[in-house]
Amino acid sequence: MRQLFMMVAAFAAMTASAQFGPQRGNPVVPSVKAEVEDFKPATTNQENKQFPAVNSKRQVRAQIVAPKATFVGLDIAGKIYEMTKDENGVWTGTSEPQDEGFHYYQLNIDGANVPDPNSKYYYGASRWGSGIDIPAADEDFYTVKNVPQGSVNEVYYWSSVQQKMRHGYIYLPNEYYTNPTKRFPVLYLQHGMGENETGWSAQGKTGIIMDNLIADGKAVPFIIFMDNGLDTRRPGDPDPAQMRRQFGQGGPRPQGGQRPGAQGGRPGGFGRGGFGNFFEAFQEILLKDIIPMVEKNYRVIADTEHRGMAGLSMGGMQTRGITLANPTTFAYVGMFSGGTFSVDDLKDAADFKKTNKVLFMSAGGRETRMAEGDGSVGKAAENLKAIGFNAHSYVSPETAHEWQTWRRSLYQFAQLIFK
Amino acid sequence: MRQLFMMVAAFAAMTASAQFGPQRGNPVVPSVKAEVEDFKPATTNQENKQFPAVNSKRQVRAQIVAPKATFVGLDIAGKIYEMTKDENGVWTGTSEPQDEGFHYYQLNIDGANVPDPNSKYYYGASRWGSGIDIPAADEDFYTVKNVPQGSVNEVYYWSSVQQKMRHGYIYLPNEYYTNPTKRFPVLYLQHGMGENETGWSAQGKTGIIMDNLIADGKAVPFIIFMDNGLDTRRPGDPDPAQMRRQFGQGGPRPQGGQRPGAQGGRPGGFGRGGFGNFFEAFQEILLKDIIPMVEKNYRVIADTEHRGMAGLSMGGMQTRGITLANPTTFAYVGMFSGGTFSVDDLKDAADFKKTNKVLFMSAGGRETRMAEGDGSVGKAAENLKAIGFNAHSYVSPETAHEWQTWRRSLYQFAQLIFK
């Protein structure tokens, strides 16, 4: 029950954070004065769009033409900044300084929550909508460079579990193409709640991070498969829309006492749509459909020592659940902003311990429960090292439950695995 | 000059059509009564979104919450349908019947043109924005099925011409993976004005169409490379935003008399940003960067008989210009809604004639200048057959200058080539 409590506490902390993006009910605050007028268009803008723009203090300025509107707001990081209209019907507003990295945002026009027509669109906060990348001191590691390029490939495949075609993305390193007889390890990499299979390659910049790491000799070439960890409905399952309504904005509510790590085939003690469902339903698809498909269709080293799983937030909890329930399947395990493994989890897990080569846990520095103190990833790694695990932790400086934390986590984790 | 006139006329017709999507100044008309109340959510909707919905008469119904708005309009196919508000602040409106297939659209909220938050987003009409797929009688050919799957791969590569990293998509057929020593032909496939390298794989459904055709034995497996035919700015070139403003909504204005098919290295008689620039600037990138990269990085049969080029609209005109200027480079040539090759173009083009194996021209049935009469693709094919070309034409029933025409054109063209 302690583990369950900690998972629920971690999840509650997450759901209150920025991953879920703009919410109804965010407070309306006045647009802020710019600390410095050196705004540049965001890199996430549509081609040739001057707004949104970011200044060197990381304030965001948005602009939109809406001559007949009576209210326009910039909804970012939990506040709606009230924009002001000029004589031409052009509304402009400026936010407070934002954290480095990627944030979801939206505009509110007379009560309608809409994407900003100037931004590119990303899937997160349970919708396709606007995103903005705030320049970061360390952005070099996720910047496209003239180095040997792999590719991120969009694939469809048949799911025997769901009896339908599924959709995922596979990163193949450059050497997959240049060395046509070589086989590669595979990392199965999962997104968080409110996100989908596009997140890791789009806002996560997985392909770019990996190409750069491999070119620098910091990571060995490996394959990454990115799938949808929420698309788990099987024939006869209840309507997922209803499940989502049940969870609402407060995150899932456990409905029973089954241990999250327990195997159960179909969702058990937590009820349909409960906590267990998040990893058990996806576990079935991962083990029966995804891994066999990847190992059949690609030049993969199909053994435990060359198979890893990691995920962010809910994807980290899925990783925890699936790797505990299948202790001899994955040698490399990563949880990014997804809580921790505890000594209680692992002290008697002989198969897991024998199999595991790297156990990695990370969090954003602003995720204080996971970043600091007794419940932190650092403390967990220390405790796990003491019982013999090759445990690692990482805290991303000055970032919250957002993609900059997870880009950095992947960058760190990728350097540790399959070596 | 006659050829130039016809190209300009064709282009003017195109720019007035629906490819360019919602325009400022579209007339506001009342929402229409539904002919039948059997609306279903569009397949292009975001997950679990009930609107926009389409009925069996192909009317589109949009809905958005905007409690404080005084005007909300559904802007589709050249008209803005004024939506009406209920007591809960929910606005609803219904359009006239639409053509089968894919259309760009947007919402107008109190004068702001914004994406519909319920739709997925596509690049076209020179912006990322809303799109909707209207069910079509023949949609089976672009529906995902449980057949051997290829993949559409996102790749970056270095452009020596532009001195920067470029971005494109490559379709690799299933056999590329299953038969690791086989080499394949390549089709270079271009989008139209206002679109980019994402169009053919997203709304064009290239990968799905090809997987289905190959599985049915109707097409031989080949590779397709899809790139951005408007991203041609080189160091020292003028600002492309300025070029676009110059073209405005009326399409490019030729500024001189140089024959479009003439070689000229850097843009010549048409001036920077003129007509010639559309194919000459892209030609340089295609020949110096794209084709060498594809032939180096992928298992390609790197000869003329296994190399094709096709494009839609402006991409068709680029195809025409580039294949005429490089008559021994491509054996298979396709122009979709991009005008025609004339006997005048080709009667003395000995190298082109000797090299060409299939010359394909298509148009939407509603593109009357290209679909019917003396200027039609059918008449052009007939004339070219008479001088010895293996010319083919296709007219897509009851579609305009839109993606359903081009999906069908690819479906037809792909069955003719590399055989």
Side-chain angles (χ1 to χ4, degrees):
Chain A
M1 277 308 291
R2 182 163 165 274
Q3 296 152 340
L4 174 63
F5 173 79
M6 288 186 64
M7 277 184 70
V8 173
F11 207 93
M14 288 168 204
T15 58
S17 74
Q19 185 195 358
F20 291 76
Q23 301 286 351
R24 282 178 207 180
N26 281 342
V28 176
V29 297
S31 177
V32 170
K33 186 172 156 48
E35 296 179 24
V36 51
E37 282 292 340
D38 58 356
F39 287 90
K40 291 179 186 159
T43 56
T44 36
N45 286 5
Q46 298 193 26
E47 203 183 6
N48 300 308
K49 298 293 184 186
Q50 299 305 304
F51 293 93
V54 187
N55 70 6
S56 55
K57 299 293 184 181
R58 304 198 303 263
Q59 293 178 280
V60 174
R61 178 170 286 169
Q63 189 172 92
I64 187 169
V65 178
K68 289 182 274 182
T70 56
F71 175 88
V72 180
L74 164 63
D75 188 350
I76 187 167
K79 294 181 182 174
I80 301 174
Y81 296 91
E82 185 169 0
M83 297 161 71
T84 54
K85 183 161 76 164
D86 73 9
E87 65 279 10
N88 299 315
V90 179
W91 295 76
T92 307
T94 305
S95 81
E96 291 162 4
Q98 303 295 317
D99 285 342
E100 292 185 340
F102 182 91
H103 312 288
Y104 302 115
Y105 79 103
Q106 66 185 9
L107 299 182
N108 184 291
I109 303 176
D110 283 343
N113 289 315
V114 294
D116 182 345
N118 291 332
S119 86
K120 290 181 184 164
Y121 305 119
Y122 303 85
Y123 192 81
S126 299
R127 94 293 185 246
W128 285 97
S130 290
I132 185 167
D133 231 321
I134 308 293
D138 60 347
E139 66 192 9
D140 188 68
F141 81 84
Y142 55 88
T143 299
V144 176
K145 294 180 202 171
N146 185 14
V147 298
Q149 296 287 316
S151 67
V152 173
N153 303 355
E154 180 180 18
V155 293
Y156 293 91
Y157 62 95
W158 177 251
S159 166
S160 65
V161 173
Q162 293 183 294
Q163 294 287 306
K164 69 165 192 177
M165 296 298 286
R166 283 177 64 88
H167 182 246
Y169 292 86
I170 189 165
Y171 167 76
L172 298 180
N174 178 267
E175 201 181 353
Y176 193 90
Y177 297 99
T178 60
N179 193 344
T181 58
K182 185 170 172 177
R183 293 182 166 268
F184 297 84
V186 186
L187 173 67
Y188 296 88
L189 183 62
Q190 289 304 121
H191 61 84
M193 181 71 108
E195 297 174 333
N196 69 12
E197 71 273 25
T198 65
W200 268 112
S201 59
Q203 55 268 49
K205 299 194 181 265
T206 295
I208 301 167
I209 292 170
M210 290 305 303
D211 287 342
N212 289 344
L213 275 174
I214 295 166
D216 284 348
K218 291 180 177 172
V220 301
F222 59 86
I223 292 170
I224 302 180
F225 199 84
M226 297 159 276
D227 208 298
N228 189 324
L230 287 165
D231 177 5
T232 58
R233 190 183 186 193
R234 291 156 293 189
D237 277 359
D239 179 2
Q242 195 179 341
M243 283 167 52
R244 262 178 289 273
R245 280 192 295 274
Q246 178 192 336
F247 295 157
Q249 295 183 12
R253 297 177 209 100
Q255 296 172 355
Q258 188 177 347
R259 186 166 155 269
Q263 294 196 49
R266 307 283 288 209
F270 291 101
R272 295 293 181 106
F275 224 141
N277 203 27
F278 280 122
F279 88 82
E280 288 171 351
F282 182 63
Q283 169 182 272
E284 190 179 2
I285 293 165
L286 179 66
L287 298 181
K288 290 187 182 167
D289 291 326
I290 297 174
I291 293 177
M293 181 278 291
V294 169
E295 296 186 348
K296 173 171 179 284
N297 291 358
Y298 299 90
R299 297 196 316 274
V300 163
I301 310 174
D303 63 25
T304 299
E305 289 190 29
H306 297 88
R307 196 183 293 125
M309 184 172 183
L312 72 90
S313 189
M314 179 199 75
M317 286 187 283
Q318 288 177 319
T319 298
R320 182 181 178 282
I322 291 170
T323 58
L324 281 172
N326 302 275
T328 61
T329 304
F330 304 91
Y332 297 90
V333 177
M335 293 178 83
F336 312 158
S337 299
T340 58
F341 284 87
S342 71
V343 170
D344 278 357
D345 288 329
L346 297 180
K347 65 182 178 194
D348 301 321
D351 285 346
F352 187 97
K353 188 171 176 181
K354 195 173 155 189
T355 300
N356 186 267
K357 297 202 174 295
V358 170
L359 195 53
F360 177 92
M361 296 163 290
S362 70
R366 299 201 198 287
E367 301 185 273
T368 46
R369 286 189 206 207
M370 286 187 275
E372 300 168 13
D374 281 352
S376 69
V377 293
K379 184 70 180 170
E382 191 182 305
N383 293 341
L384 291 169
K385 272 184 205 161
I387 62 165
F389 277 89
N390 182 17
H392 296 256
S393 68
Y394 170 73
V395 174
S396 163
E398 299 184 7
T399 61
H401 198 69
E402 292 197 281
W403 276 99
Q404 193 71 359
T405 300
W406 307 322
R407 291 169 176 169
R408 289 172 175 167
S409 294
L410 176 63
Y411 178 77
Q412 297 294 331
F413 182 60
Q415 297 182 51
L416 299 173
I417 65 178
F418 304 127
K419 286 185 167 176
Chain B
M1 278 308 292
R2 181 163 164 274
Q3 295 152 342
L4 174 62
F5 172 78
M6 289 186 64
M7 277 184 69
V8 174
F11 207 93
M14 289 167 202
T15 57
S17 74
Q19 183 196 359
F20 291 77
Q23 301 287 352
R24 281 177 207 179
N26 280 343
V28 176
V29 299
S31 177
V32 169
K33 187 172 156 50
E35 295 178 26
V36 52
E37 283 292 340
D38 58 357
F39 287 89
K40 290 180 185 158
T43 56
T44 37
N45 286 5
Q46 297 193 28
E47 202 184 5
N48 299 309
K49 298 293 183 186
Q50 299 304 304
F51 294 92
V54 186
N55 71 5
S56 56
K57 300 292 182 182
R58 304 199 301 265
Q59 293 178 280
V60 173
R61 178 171 287 171
Q63 189 172 92
I64 187 169
V65 177
K68 290 182 272 181
T70 57
F71 175 88
V72 179
L74 164 62
D75 187 351
I76 188 168
K79 293 179 183 175
I80 301 173
Y81 296 91
E82 186 169 1
M83 297 162 69
T84 54
K85 183 162 77 165
D86 73 9
E87 65 280 11
N88 298 315
V90 179
W91 295 76
T92 306
T94 306
S95 80
E96 291 162 5
Q98 303 294 318
D99 285 343
E100 292 184 340
F102 182 90
H103 312 288
Y104 301 116
Y105 78 102
Q106 66 186 7
L107 299 181
N108 184 292
I109 304 176
D110 284 344
N113 289 314
V114 294
D116 182 345
N118 291 331
S119 85
K120 290 182 184 165
Y121 305 119
Y122 302 86
Y123 192 82
S126 300
R127 95 290 184 247
W128 285 96
S130 291
I132 186 167
D133 232 320
I134 308 294
D138 60 345
E139 66 192 10
D140 188 68
F141 81 85
Y142 54 89
T143 300
V144 176
K145 294 180 201 172
N146 186 14
V147 298
Q149 296 286 316
S151 67
V152 173
N153 303 356
E154 181 179 18
V155 293
Y156 293 91
Y157 63 95
W158 176 252
S159 166
S160 64
V161 173
Q162 293 182 294
Q163 293 289 305
K164 69 164 193 177
M165 296 298 286
R166 284 177 64 89
H167 182 247
Y169 292 86
I170 190 164
Y171 167 76
L172 298 179
N174 178 267
E175 201 180 353
Y176 193 90
Y177 297 98
T178 60
N179 193 344
T181 58
K182 185 170 171 176
R183 293 182 166 268
F184 296 84
V186 186
L187 173 68
Y188 296 88
L189 182 62
Q190 289 304 123
H191 61 83
M193 181 69 107
E195 297 174 333
N196 69 13
E197 71 273 24
T198 64
W200 268 112
S201 59
Q203 56 266 49
K205 300 194 179 262
T206 295
I208 302 167
I209 292 170
M210 290 306 305
D211 287 342
N212 289 344
L213 274 173
I214 294 166
D216 284 349
K218 291 180 176 172
V220 301
F222 58 86
I223 291 169
I224 301 179
F225 199 84
M226 297 159 276
D227 207 298
N228 189 323
L230 287 165
D231 177 5
T232 58
R233 191 183 185 193
R234 292 157 292 190
D237 277 359
D239 179 0
Q242 195 179 341
M243 282 166 54
R244 262 178 289 273
R245 281 192 294 273
Q246 180 192 335
F247 296 158
Q249 295 182 11
R253 297 177 210 100
Q255 297 171 355
Q258 186 178 349
R259 187 165 154 267
Q263 295 197 47
R266 306 283 287 208
F270 290 100
R272 295 292 181 107
F275 224 142
N277 203 27
F278 280 122
F279 87 83
E280 287 171 351
F282 183 62
Q283 170 181 269
E284 191 180 1
I285 293 165
L286 180 66
L287 298 181
K288 290 187 182 167
D289 291 326
I290 298 173
I291 293 176
M293 181 277 291
V294 170
E295 297 187 350
K296 174 171 179 284
N297 290 359
Y298 298 91
R299 296 196 318 274
V300 163
I301 310 174
D303 63 25
T304 300
E305 288 189 30
H306 298 88
R307 196 183 293 125
M309 183 174 183
L312 72 91
S313 190
M314 179 197 75
M317 287 187 283
Q318 289 176 319
T319 298
R320 181 181 179 282
I322 291 170
T323 58
L324 282 172
N326 302 275
T328 61
T329 304
F330 304 92
Y332 298 90
V333 177
M335 292 177 82
F336 311 157
S337 300
T340 58
F341 283 87
S342 71
V343 169
D344 278 355
D345 288 330
L346 297 180
K347 66 183 177 195
D348 300 322
D351 286 345
F352 187 97
K353 189 170 176 181
K354 195 173 157 190
T355 300
N356 186 266
K357 298 202 173 295
V358 170
L359 195 53
F360 177 92
M361 296 163 291
S362 70
R366 299 202 198 285
E367 300 185 274
T368 46
R369 287 189 205 207
M370 285 187 275
E372 300 169 13
D374 281 352
S376 70
V377 293
K379 185 70 182 168
E382 191 181 305
N383 293 341
L384 292 169
K385 273 185 204 159
I387 62 165
F389 276 89
N390 182 16
H392 295 256
S393 68
Y394 169 73
V395 174
S396 163
E398 299 184 8
T399 61
H401 197 70
E402 292 198 282
W403 277 99
Q404 193 72 358
T405 300
W406 308 322
R407 291 168 175 167
R408 289 172 176 167
S409 294
L410 176 63
Y411 179 76
Q412 298 294 331
F413 181 61
Q415 297 183 50
L416 298 173
I417 65 178
F418 303 126
K419 285 185 169 174

